[in-house]
Amino acid sequence: LEDSAAISIADSDLDLVDSDSSSFDQISLSITGLRDGNLERVFLDGSTFELATDVSSQTTAGGNYSVDIATSSGEAKIIITHPVATAFTESEVESLLRTLRYQHFDGVNPTDGDRIVDVTVRDGDDESAAARSTINVDPVNDNSPSADNESFTVAEGGTATEANLDSGTSLLDGDTDADLPNDALTVN
């Protein structure tokens, strides 16, 4: 997921079914496993919401939704309602969930791990069972190591020692890798 575009939290074939109601007053998301503060964000209706910042009754840029976010260590609870207290139709909930996107903005070193998104809807009386999405944030080793030339001279049948190096104290002198200490530099 590192350096990728925002991704949907729901499948495109999402189908909401409630046998006793066709309207819903609230959509709730619980996102857990957050490890990188405000570098983790969701997008909804033209607005960007940072997942380590509390929000109270913020109307989205498109004017279609009101959003509340409560954050705690590694978790964001998001409540989405209509800003004028009308209910969502089934198709509105499906459309909202299909367009809700997550993105991690650390293109260099995001923290590895799953972000778990549990979504529930409330029909005014009851809350649904949670539908779960798992987003895997997987960092990529995108730093190229830099190696400079070292050499040593050893007589046939001899053993290379530090004293045989033409310069420096190690074959790895001057070699770098920005991911150190997580990556090891080796001599082959």
Side-chain angles (χ1 to χ4, degrees), residues 77-116:
K77 292 186 181 285
I78 303 170
I79 305 293
I80 304 168
T81 57
H82 268 298
V84 291
T86 60
F88 293 104
T89 66
E90 186 175 308
S91 63
E92 286 175 319
V93 172
E94 291 171 347
S95 178
L96 180 151
L97 292 174
R98 283 188 193 107
T99 60
L100 188 62
R101 303 265 186 262
Y102 165 90
Q103 187 171 24
H104 194 294
F105 274 83
D106 186 349
V108 177
N109 195 22
T111 304
D112 188 25
D114 289 340
R115 300 340 185 231
I116 307 298

Side-chain angles (χ1 to χ4, degrees), residues 146-164:
S146 172
D148 62 357
N149 293 326
E150 277 93 28
S151 62
F152 59 93
T153 306
V154 178
E156 185 176 340
T159 301
T161 66
E162 187 177 306
N164 298 113

